[in-house]
Amino acid sequence: MEIIPMLLKEMEQEAQITRKMLEIVPADKFKWQPHPKSMNIETLAVHIADVPNWVALGVHTDGLNFAESPYDPGKAETTQDLLDIFEKSLAQGKAALESTTEEELLKPWILSNGDQILQRYNKIGVIRVALCQLVHHRAQLGVFLRLLNIPIPGSYGPSADVLSGEYQDKANLVSSN
C-alpha cells in the first residue's frame, strides 16, 4: 500500500472540512478569545490555515528549531485572507507530497527549541502530526464559534446546527468521501 496517495487523499478530505470552517469565521470577531490563556480567533484560524504547509516543512527539511526559526504563520485581516492563506498552504503541502518518495518520508525529523529536543519523528510522523493538529485546532475553532452562537458545519457527519437547520450551507454538509 502506498502512503503518499493515502496522505494526499486525507489532505483533500480534511481540506474540504477546513474550508467550511474558515469560511464562517467572522472578521469582526478576530480579536475575541474565550479565556485569557486561549488564542484569539484570528491566531487560531491563521494557524489552522497554515497547518497544511507543515507537510511541506516535513518533506523538505530535517526538522524545525524554534530558537532559530520562530513560528510565524502571518496575519489575516479578513475571512478571505484566511482562505487565501489556507489555499496557498494546502497547495504547498500537496506539491511537496507529490514531489517526494516514500523512502524520503522514512528519514528522521526533529522538532526542537535550541538544544532541547521536543519531538523526534520520521517525516511520515510529522505529516501525520500536522494532519492531527489540523483536526484538533479545527475542533477548537468550532468550540469558539459555538460560544459566539455561530452555527457550524458538520465535519464527519452533520453537526447539531445542521440537524436543527441553523447551518445555512445544506448543499455541502460533510465531505463527499
Side-chain angles (χ1 to χ4, degrees):
M1 184 175 289
E2 295 180 25
I3 191 80
I4 292 172
M6 289 174 27
L7 289 170
L8 286 165
K9 181 178 179 183
E10 184 176 3
M11 282 184 74
E12 188 51 46
Q13 289 170 333
E14 294 303 328
Q16 291 175 32
I17 301 165
T18 301
R19 263 186 216 99
K20 290 178 203 171
M21 289 295 287
L22 294 175
E23 287 171 349
I24 62 171
V25 176
D28 66 337
K29 301 291 185 194
F30 273 13
K31 299 306 175 199
W32 185 85
Q33 61 191 99
H35 187 275
K37 291 183 180 180
S38 298
M39 289 182 263
N40 65 37
I41 286 182
E42 177 199 4
T43 301
L44 178 59
V46 169
H47 178 57
I48 291 166
D50 181 63
V51 165
N53 194 43
W54 281 64
V55 173
L57 183 70
V59 168
H60 295 307
T61 70
D62 295 326
L64 174 63
N65 186 330
F66 287 126
E68 295 172 4
S69 300
Y71 177 62
D72 180 12
K75 296 276 185 195
E77 293 184 19
T78 67
T79 303
Q80 186 59 52
D81 290 346
L82 292 175
L83 293 165
D84 292 345
I85 292 166
F86 178 68
E87 294 303 335
K88 180 180 177 186
S89 173
L90 180 64
Q92 290 170 334
K94 288 168 79 173
L97 265 180
E98 290 166 347
S99 70
T100 196
T101 64
E102 299 205 7
E103 294 76 26
E104 180 66 23
L105 295 181
L106 295 175
K107 292 180 179 178
W109 195 92
I110 298 172
L111 181 65
S112 60
N113 188 17
D115 293 333
Q116 180 185 15
I117 303 294
L118 302 173
Q119 293 289 331
R120 293 179 191 268
Y121 304 104
N122 60 21
K123 292 182 177 202
I124 292 171
V126 76
I127 292 166
R128 290 293 311 132
V129 167
L131 292 172
C132 290
Q133 283 289 300
L134 182 65
V135 172
H136 162 76
H137 286 302
R138 194 177 63 218
Q140 185 180 12
L141 178 61
V143 171
F144 283 28
L145 295 173
R146 171 83 65 222
L147 291 170
L148 291 169
N149 293 315
I150 297 170
I152 58 172
S155 292
Y156 305 107
S159 71
D161 296 319
V162 169
L163 293 173
S164 69
E166 293 177 67
Y167 182 70
Q168 300 302 309
D169 186 10
K170 293 173 187 64
N172 296 303
L173 301 180
V174 294
S175 68
S176 59
N177 297 345

